[in-house]
Amino acid sequence: MAKIAFILLCHKDPEAIVQQAQQLTAMGDYIAIHFDARAPQAAFAHIREHLDDNPNVTFAKKRIKCGWGEWSLVQATLHAVEAAVDAFPRATHFYMVSGDCMAIKSAEYAKTLLDSDDCDYIESFDFFESDWIKTGMKEERLIYRHFFNERTQKTLFYNAWWLQRKLKLERKIPADLQIMIGSQWWCLRRRTIEWILDMTRSRKDVMRFFRTTWIPDETFFQTLVRHLVPEEEIRTRTLTFLMFTDYGMPVTFYNDHYDLLLSQDFLFARKISPEASSLKERLGQLWASGRSDFKISNEGRRLFTFLTGRGRIGRRFAPRFWESEATLGRERELLIVACKKWHVAKRLVGSIKHHTNIPAIDYLFNEEDTDLPDLGGIQTTLEKRTRHRRALMRMLFDYYDTDRLIICLDTANFDLMQDFFSDRSTTRLLELECEFSDDYLIGHAKRVGLAGEQTGDETMQQLLPTIRYDVIYESDRIRDAGFAHHGRLHESNSPDENTPPIAQFLSVTEDVARSIAQTPYLFAD
């Protein structure tokens, strides 16, 4: 019977990783783990402490820092695969999973399926002829060299791309390769894995090429398998059930999706919500259950399209259960910097980004031209961002692959603050209390359209008391709301006085907070 070596790439939630490894190895299978080197050492130590005694668990011999869309994800996978090949000579199949994946069939059912067909399961579509890529870069992923990360080094990424394009520095694809593309969630036979590892050692030209392609985890294994394995031994599908929204983000499964998941013609599913404790418990027991009586209806994708589509055409006859638990995520932390003077908040956030690795976004609900990634159109207008604010924030957490995110809000955005504080995620608020001169308030009145360049001084003097009162009222309303985790910085305070609320807001040391509080000209107009 098949013996599966699971290849697990993960970067957070060590308790869940330990539980996942114990469940998957309980039936005699194996797992090789690569835990992102960006993650805290204490988290990795926790995993090692609980799994080192398990003979069916091994770890990648080298941990590297991974970034979305980078070669590092493929390299981390290869490190884990090499460790699994060496540690588990009896493994017949190697199955790629993430920390968000869980089995939706029993181990007995899965191994019967693998034994019934001597093949590799991997999505493998022609890169140029298929429509697998819906939006964004296509051939540019391959013909230009990508040295920077599009998410964390956006300016460098696009400048490097445009410079190569301008100078016509296109490169050639290795002549004997047909570039393929598909999902990174594959299940490959041992022979195929060994062929791939041999090719990584013998074809340095291929390795050089893929190291500077963009999002190579969608092309590297897909291309090499098609190059090495006869077509009749490849099943162009994944055994992991996953769906995407219209915005290109993975659909998350919750407690009430158990029966739906079991009826799909797949072995695993992604993504299982960290909050779906009942679902995770039931699926964890399922792998060892020995069940084989699964009734496959495979209606998941059609059902999702139908239910979500009702709202788009104004017909909503029943609750869309994919949205019934619309939350940012209990394990996530949203940090809100609220300030009427936008340039002050941006200055503080810039300093925070310099001193920490927390992703931060400026006034995304106030400024149309805020720098945002392409999220399938939901980010295009302020109206859409505000109307779909929780969906937008979930996408941004996923895009930056983080559990902590900073945003800036105007103090007038009280409704947004209330909504975020009512979520099951942890929300923290840092209010920047500024002093407002008459000149600043006049400028504010012109910016928001209360006054124009031709407004007379007498009219302006009549407006000023009302505008000043509105600013004070916004701050009072925030204070009266009694939000938990609400800190304040004041312009008249010294950096030492502003240090404690910054430290509490960011959960950083006093030294880091003090460096941020000492940002030059923080409150200057």
Side-chain angles (χ1 to χ4, degrees), residues 137 148 150 153-163:
M137 285 186 175
F148 305 103
E150 192 268 346
Q153 301 167 298
K154 189 179 293 288
T155 301
L156 290 172
F157 178 90
Y158 285 106
N159 284 346
W161 169 40
W162 279 106
L163 181 61

Side-chain angles (χ1 to χ4, degrees), residues 236-514:
T236 307
R237 59 162 295 193
T238 174
L239 294 177
T240 298
F241 179 57
L242 67 163
M243 297 189 298
F244 291 89
T245 68
D246 290 347
Y247 300 118
M249 303 304 293
V251 171
T252 300
F253 299 106
Y254 295 98
N255 290 331
D256 54 355
H257 293 145
Y258 179 77
D259 291 332
L260 174 92
L261 292 176
L262 266 59
S263 67
Q264 306 310 306
D265 189 19
F266 296 86
L267 303 183
F268 280 72
R270 183 180 187 272
K271 292 177 140 186
I272 308 300
S273 169
E275 300 173 41
S277 54
S278 172
L279 177 62
K280 293 174 72 174
E281 181 179 356
R282 296 175 75 184
L283 293 180
Q285 295 169 354
L286 179 65
W287 181 250
S289 69
R291 279 187 58 182
S292 59
D293 58 334
F294 297 97
K295 297 180 179 179
I296 306 300
S297 59
N298 222 28
E299 82 292 357
R301 291 191 173 97
R302 294 192 304 273
L303 183 61
F304 176 75
T305 300
F306 173 77
L307 289 174
T308 55
R310 297 304 89 189
R312 296 187 182 280
I313 60 175
R315 295 166 56 195
R316 210 164 159 175
F317 298 134
R320 291 189 278 174
F321 63 84
W322 259 278
E323 296 184 359
S324 63
E325 299 191 42
T327 173
L328 305 189
R330 194 184 302 276
E331 80 287 358
R332 285 172 168 169
E333 194 172 25
L334 178 63
L335 308 177
I336 300 173
V337 176
C339 186
K340 177 59 70 176
K341 291 186 177 181
W342 296 358
H343 61 280
V344 174
K346 292 177 181 179
R347 203 172 288 144
L348 177 71
V349 165
S351 183
I352 291 172
K353 288 195 287 188
H354 177 72
H355 290 93
T356 72
N357 61 357
I358 308 173
I361 305 169
D362 292 338
Y363 286 84
L364 72 165
F365 295 106
N366 302 102
E367 292 185 300
E368 197 89 57
D369 59 351
T370 299
D371 187 19
L372 290 172
D374 184 357
L375 301 175
I378 194 174
Q379 83 292 344
T380 52
T381 67
L382 290 177
E383 182 185 7
K384 281 188 177 181
R385 296 176 203 170
T386 303
R387 186 169 65 247
H388 304 295
R389 49 189 172 271
R390 291 201 187 187
L392 173 67
M393 296 311 301
R394 287 199 305 273
M395 290 181 189
L396 289 170
F397 274 107
D398 289 340
Y399 179 86
Y400 289 106
D401 196 15
T402 183
D403 290 330
R404 305 185 77 208
L405 183 67
I406 299 172
I407 65 170
C408 296
L409 290 181
D410 191 287
T411 51
N413 295 130
F414 182 71
D415 290 344
L416 287 175
M417 295 178 202
Q418 280 188 312
D419 188 49
F420 289 136
F421 269 100
S422 69
D423 190 81
R424 282 176 289 180
S425 61
T426 299
T427 302
R428 299 181 184 275
L429 175 65
L430 185 66
E431 185 183 356
L432 310 188
E433 297 181 326
C434 303
E435 297 176 357
F436 299 94
S437 66
D438 286 353
D439 286 342
Y440 178 84
L441 292 178
I442 290 171
H444 172 71
K446 292 178 179 178
R447 284 191 294 274
V448 300
L450 291 174
E453 294 299 329
Q454 305 304 317
T455 303
D457 290 342
E458 183 177 348
T459 302
M460 196 66 75
Q461 291 304 315
Q462 292 174 338
L463 275 175
L464 280 177
T466 303
I467 297 172
R468 190 179 296 277
Y469 173 78
D470 280 347
V471 172
I472 295 172
Y473 169 74
E474 290 171 3
S475 181
D476 286 343
R477 185 168 55 165
I478 293 171
R479 190 173 304 186
D480 292 341
F483 294 136
H485 312 300
H486 177 194
R488 289 183 293 275
L489 304 188
H490 198 282
E491 182 173 351
S492 62
N493 288 350
S494 68
D496 285 342
E497 291 173 310
N498 282 333
T499 292
I502 294 176
Q504 189 172 16
F505 175 67
L506 297 173
S507 300
V508 296
T509 64
E510 291 280 326
D511 288 341
V512 173
R514 184 172 292 104

